[in-house]
Amino acid sequence: MKIGIQGIRLHRAAAVAVTTGAVFATGALTAAPAQAATAPAIAAKGGFVMNNATGKSLYTKAADTKRSTGSTTKIMTAKVVLSQPNLNLDAKVTIQKAYSDYIVSKTASSARLIVGDKVTVRQLLYGLMLPSGCDAAYALADKFGTGSTRAARVKSFIGKMNTTAKSLGLKNTHFDSFDGIGNGANYSTPRDLTKLASSAMKSSTFRTIVKTKKYTAKTVTKTGSTRTMAPWVNTNTLLNNYSGTIGVKTGSGPEAKYCLVFAATRNGKTVIGTVLASTSATQRETDAKKLLTYGFGRA
């Protein structure tokens, strides 16, 4: 679960040196082709990178091994919401005490939503994806699930998450929570999460949200006045530290360790990928930078 750890700004790694040789051919000195860059070593236990336009695999490390996903789960939460028919992003949701109680009981990451405030669906999506608010995730699951009780609605919403996973062909993915705080059956793989993110990025609203570094929501209080929330800062430090970054989502937790689903565009090419179970917030960023640079070299 993402707990709001701040990433440390890192110097960009130096480019990998490429060795060239020379051979005599037909009596002339000819430069041999440059050797392909060696695949980078990463601390994360799993990784996958692909060309977003073609789906071509650019890097794999235990890419199909199931692991806990932490808050990268919220990519699916957002996708399910954005896939709702006739979605009104300006519809208001009243924040319930249950959402606040939940984040306290789970010591979960929070968008600091205030009980009784009316918050739009659009704002909840920002609260979900930038500060990784589990209160925002709960509010969205309650709003877009079906049923006569909150528990039934949440169960229904998680069902939609799993139905969507199946429809996308994510064979090694299962959700048992709306936010990644699972009960032992919340897992995916680097390949599946990358495919999920690629699908989610087809939504212009999703793309706009996940590349936003900071967002300030103005909510409506119980008395009808306007509350200006403290700014939500994106937990994805790649947005500041790797040129061309356009998303996507961090995740962490005792079992998940440190995860990052990432995407960047350079010279008209978009590379998208995932690292799971890295060793720290700093290291997951370092891993992602290595894989992006390597991916662009092969895309």
Side-chain angles (χ1 to χ4, degrees):
M1 206 43 257
K2 178 71 193 70
I3 313 297
I5 300 171
Q6 292 297 318
I8 301 171
R9 189 179 181 97
L10 298 174
H11 293 295
R12 190 165 305 155
V16 177
V18 179
T19 305
T20 59
V23 295
F24 282 102
T26 62
L29 186 64
T30 308
Q35 295 173 0
T38 303
I42 59 172
K45 290 183 179 178
F48 180 77
V49 179
M50 73 180 192
N51 180 313
N52 190 55
T54 65
K56 176 189 173 186
S57 172
L58 305 173
Y59 174 93
T60 62
K61 177 183 178 180
D64 300 307
T65 300
K66 298 173 184 175
R67 299 188 189 279
S68 177
T69 58
S71 281
T72 61
T73 296
K74 290 168 179 155
I75 298 170
M76 179 61 89
T77 308
K79 179 169 174 59
V80 169
V81 170
L82 290 167
S83 298
Q84 297 301 303
N86 304 313
L87 176 65
N88 178 8
L89 288 168
D90 296 317
K92 289 184 171 60
V93 177
T94 301
I95 303 306
Q96 306 295 317
K97 186 173 183 292
Y99 313 155
S100 178
D101 290 347
Y102 173 79
I103 58 169
V104 171
S105 70
K106 299 290 187 181
T107 318
S109 48
S110 168
R112 304 180 302 279
L113 298 172
I114 308 297
V115 175
D117 277 13
K118 290 182 173 61
V119 184
T120 68
V121 171
R122 188 191 314 275
Q123 291 168 337
L124 287 173
L125 287 166
Y126 276 95
L128 174 78
M129 299 303 286
L130 272 63
S132 200
C134 296
D135 43 359
Y138 197 165
L140 290 166
D142 192 9
K143 166 73 174 174
F144 292 102
T146 55
S148 57
T149 65
R150 184 173 292 119
R153 290 190 292 274
V154 167
K155 183 178 180 180
S156 159
F157 186 87
I158 295 168
K160 291 180 182 182
M161 294 170 70
N162 286 311
T163 298
T164 303
K166 286 181 181 177
S167 73
L168 293 173
L170 309 183
K171 296 178 181 177
N172 295 308
T173 296
H174 185 267
F175 300 105
D176 70 355
S177 73
F178 48 73
D179 59 1
I181 304 180
N183 300 298
N186 206 92
Y187 56 81
S188 188
T189 69
R191 190 189 307 269
D192 277 6
L193 278 174
T194 302
K195 288 181 176 178
L196 168 59
S198 180
S199 175
M201 291 288 272
K202 292 177 182 176
S203 161
S204 60
T205 300
F206 184 89
R207 290 196 306 273
T208 297
I209 291 170
V210 298
K211 72 179 180 184
T212 300
K213 295 177 183 179
K214 187 184 290 187
Y215 179 88
T216 301
K218 293 188 176 183
T219 63
V220 178
T221 69
K222 282 188 274 192
T223 60
S225 62
T226 299
R227 183 196 311 280
T228 301
M229 300 288 288
W232 291 324
V233 177
N234 201 318
T235 57
N236 181 9
T237 52
L238 274 179
L239 290 166
N240 296 314
N241 298 337
Y242 191 86
S243 176
T245 298
I246 56 173
V248 177
K249 185 72 186 76
T250 60
S252 60
E255 186 182 355
K257 304 304 179 188
Y258 295 87
C259 311
L260 180 57
V261 181
F262 51 86
T265 299
R266 288 184 176 180
N267 300 318
K269 291 182 180 178
T270 298
V271 169
I272 189 165
T274 299
V275 289
L276 293 182
S278 194
T279 53
S280 69
T282 302
Q283 189 61 49
R284 71 182 170 199
E285 181 185 296
T286 300
D287 288 346
K289 286 178 176 177
K290 286 181 181 179
L291 296 187
L292 282 166
T293 298
Y294 179 70
F296 280 118
R298 301 187 68 218

